[in-house]
Amino acid sequence: MPLPNHVHVAGYDVCTDHYINGKRVTSDSHFEIHCPIDQRRLGEVAEGRDEHVEAAIQAAQAAFPAWSALTAAERLPYLQRYAEEIGKRAEMLCTVESNDAGILLSRMRHGVVPRAMQNILWFAQHALDLQNRPIDTEQAHHLVRHDPAGVAVIITPWNAPLMLSTWKLGPALAAGNTCILKPPEWAPLTCSILADAADAAGLPAGVFNVVQGIGATTGAALVRDPRVARISFTGSVPTAKLIAQAAGANLVPCSLELGGKSPFIVLEDADLDGAAATAALMYRNAGQVCLAGTRLLVHRGVADTFVAKMRALVEGLVVGDPREEATEVGPIIHPRQVERVKGFVDRAVVGGATLLWGGGPHPFGAQYFQPTLVTDLKQDDEIVQNEVFGPVLTLQTFDDDDEAIALANSTDYGLGGVCYGETTHATALAERVRTGFIWVNSFGIRDLAAPFGGIKRSGIGREGGDWSFEFFSDIKDVVVPKKPFRASFAHR
């Protein structure tokens, strides 16, 4: 039997209460969570109401003066211990998130959990370099400071709860802010484990808080509060618009990392084996990856060969239980998302599109969808223009570079991209794609020092490196003149 106010997941008991001011706090209201692997009910999670939001904001405010007064060097040991405590819970985090969000267990073990630890450690170390940055001019010495901003609200999505929570928490805490994390309601459990790790690491009460709940109520109450200094959100465009409206009323800075409809360009001089292998990776996490290159744009002269090579790889993909080592494509998170994905494909076919493979539910289970490729599309088709967020790719062909660029830049999104071709050629073309980042002859290479984010409907702001600290800090210039200063109306 699970402990009171816990759910039992594959041998692990996970607390389902909020974490506020260093203590677990229950609620009279709860919401259900289900396992996407087999739709079984995992249990109930405490739902944040106004009183929980108020308590979390008060706790974060009260903890801010002492936490922000520490230097980056003084905060470093806390965050090092936090990363260590995350590492101690590695297998628990892997198992729970695989059951809660349907993410491949192998990917959790070899990619996500090591990255989660790195997210905390790297930003804690990088903060040491941002204490004071001098700028020397003819008139004055400038000392540029990154001062803590205040209470930061962090809202993360269900497709990567652990990785994206730590990706935001790392710089927010290292910069000296106190934080309130609102987990995704479809996959909240690893965020609760992050609270246990923070408690074990000795983070002072109120520095890190977790308030669970539904976005339209709990999330809305957090983002509209004028005491919040920063809001960092990853998720959908419609939700981001609501957050931006609420934040705008209080002039609170927002970082919004949103959807993608990224081009995957295959040039005539591309390594087709490499391009096909990378294209098959776009079905990873059942296509629930915002930065995936979901629009295959292939030179007409190599399209048939490319499709044949990719088909052979896709036919070999193992769709199934994400807890099995051999599985390569797992479930879609929720029945509503399955219907959304199926609707995109069905409407495309009715509109005259051709299915090259896939196109419907997978026999493995109700929340599994076949890896799908759709072609014979019009540029204004919704499946070309809008994010599907499932294992569905589209295929279009082009005859020259200008047409490739026109197709690549034809949507309202601009998050990522991929370009395969002879390196010089592919690099030159990649520079013309309107997007926040683009990989040449590769995919998924990430460095915490590099900027990450999109343009157009794919978001506002950049995360990573100095960009994260610029968002989570108040930048202050301390100006000391080199010569004696005498005030006059000439000085402006």
Side-chain angles (χ1 to χ4, degrees):
M1 293 291 294
L3 299 170
N5 299 337
H6 285 68
V7 294
H8 190 73
V9 182
Y12 295 102
D13 289 309
V14 182
C15 186
T16 56
D17 287 339
H18 310 296
Y19 181 74
I20 300 172
N21 203 27
K23 297 178 181 178
R24 289 293 183 172
V25 178
T26 191
S27 174
D28 293 334
S29 180
H30 297 80
F31 60 94
E32 287 191 352
I33 55 172
H34 296 81
C35 175
I37 300 171
D38 52 16
Q39 297 80 57
R40 73 185 185 281
R41 182 179 181 273
L42 291 175
E44 292 186 342
V45 175
E47 182 178 359
R49 295 299 192 184
D50 287 347
E51 62 266 28
H52 305 110
V53 170
E54 177 64 25
I57 292 175
Q58 286 188 11
Q61 275 194 308
F64 178 72
W67 182 250
S68 63
L70 298 177
T71 65
E74 290 169 331
R75 286 190 289 267
L76 178 62
Y78 287 100
L79 297 177
Q80 288 174 325
R81 289 196 297 271
Y82 189 24
E84 289 170 4
E85 292 296 334
I86 291 172
K88 290 177 183 178
R89 292 160 176 76
E91 192 58 27
M92 181 183 189
L93 288 163
C94 292
T95 302
V96 170
E97 188 148 299
S98 186
N99 280 270
D100 194 27
I103 297 173
L104 297 182
L105 185 59
S106 59
R107 183 167 174 247
M108 291 295 303
R109 285 174 174 156
H110 303 299
V112 174
V113 170
R115 168 67 186 275
M117 296 172 64
Q118 186 187 17
N119 284 341
I120 304 297
L121 286 172
W122 190 92
F123 286 108
Q125 290 282 353
H126 192 62
L128 301 175
D129 300 328
L130 297 176
Q131 288 292 303
N132 296 294
R133 288 193 167 182
I135 299 174
D136 198 38
T137 69
E138 182 180 345
Q139 289 183 305
H141 297 289
H142 297 255
L143 198 62
V144 180
R145 293 179 51 83
H146 288 69
D147 291 338
V151 177
V153 167
I154 293 170
I155 303 176
T156 52
W158 45 259
N159 65 315
L162 176 62
M163 198 284 285
L164 289 175
S165 294
T166 55
W167 167 239
K168 298 173 185 293
L169 284 171
L173 292 170
N177 301 295
T178 53
C179 297
I180 303 170
L181 174 63
K182 207 296 278 184
E185 54 260 39
W186 284 353
L189 294 182
T190 47
C191 292
S192 181
I193 300 171
L194 284 177
D196 292 335
D199 193 68
L203 286 185
V207 167
F208 173 49
N209 308 273
V210 177
V211 180
Q212 301 153 151
I214 308 304
T217 52
T218 309
L222 284 167
V223 300
R224 68 172 174 253
D225 196 287
R227 293 167 292 180
V228 170
R230 295 291 188 275
I231 300 169
S232 181
F233 169 74
T234 298
S236 71
V237 172
T239 301
K241 290 181 178 180
L242 296 174
I243 290 172
Q245 289 171 0
N250 299 314
L251 294 179
V252 176
C254 290
S255 174
L256 305 173
E257 196 269 282
L258 310 177
K261 195 66 180 175
S262 301
F264 189 119
I265 304 168
V266 182
L267 300 171
E268 190 175 20
D269 50 15
D271 168 13
L272 297 183
D273 289 313
T278 303
L281 281 179
M282 301 305 106
Y283 295 120
R284 185 178 66 177
N285 205 33
Q288 300 167 126
V289 180
C290 60
L291 51 79
T294 56
R295 290 186 295 134
L296 303 181
L297 309 178
V298 185
H299 191 282
R300 194 180 308 277
V302 298
D304 290 345
T305 303
F306 170 82
V307 168
K309 290 178 179 293
M310 186 177 173
R311 182 191 295 273
L313 294 169
V314 172
E315 288 176 348
L317 290 176
V318 178
V319 178
D321 191 325
R323 299 166 297 188
E324 298 294 331
E325 189 70 26
T327 299
E328 294 166 300
V329 180
I332 292 174
I333 184 74
H334 193 276
R336 286 193 348 226
Q337 187 65 17
V338 175
E339 286 304 308
R340 171 183 164 83
V341 172
K342 184 175 184 296
F344 267 103
V345 175
D346 289 349
R347 290 189 296 273
V349 171
V350 170
T354 300
L355 288 171
L356 290 178
W357 54 73
H362 193 279
F364 189 85
Q367 284 178 220
Y368 295 77
F369 203 86
Q370 299 172 26
T372 297
L373 182 61
V374 184
T375 192
D376 294 330
L377 298 159
K378 299 181 293 294
Q379 193 56 32
D380 60 354
D381 285 345
E382 64 163 358
I383 201 168
V384 174
Q385 293 294 322
N386 296 325
E387 185 176 45
V388 178
F389 223 59
V392 177
L393 308 180
T394 61
L395 174 69
Q396 297 169 276
T397 59
F398 60 86
D399 291 310
D400 55 41
D401 287 4
D402 288 343
E403 187 179 4
I405 292 298
L407 292 171
N409 292 337
S410 69
T411 76
D412 290 333
Y413 291 95
L415 183 57
V418 181
C419 187
Y420 264 81
E422 185 277 324
T423 301
T424 301
H425 183 193
T427 302
L429 189 133
E431 292 174 352
R432 298 171 60 192
V433 179
R434 295 199 64 225
T435 187
F437 56 89
I438 186 165
W439 288 289
V440 173
N441 295 331
S442 59
F443 176 77
I445 297 173
R446 297 280 301 277
D447 191 294
L448 294 182
F452 178 86
I455 64 172
K456 299 188 284 186
R457 290 179 68 198
S458 288
I460 298 172
R462 293 293 181 271
E463 298 179 87
D466 290 356
W467 293 271
S468 285
F469 284 102
E470 287 178 3
F471 173 72
F472 282 115
S473 302
D474 286 329
I475 309 299
K476 179 167 62 183
D477 182 16
V478 179
V479 184
V480 181
K482 290 183 176 179
K483 298 177 182 179
F485 179 80
R486 296 292 181 267
S488 79
F489 286 105
H491 291 97
R492 294 182 185 271

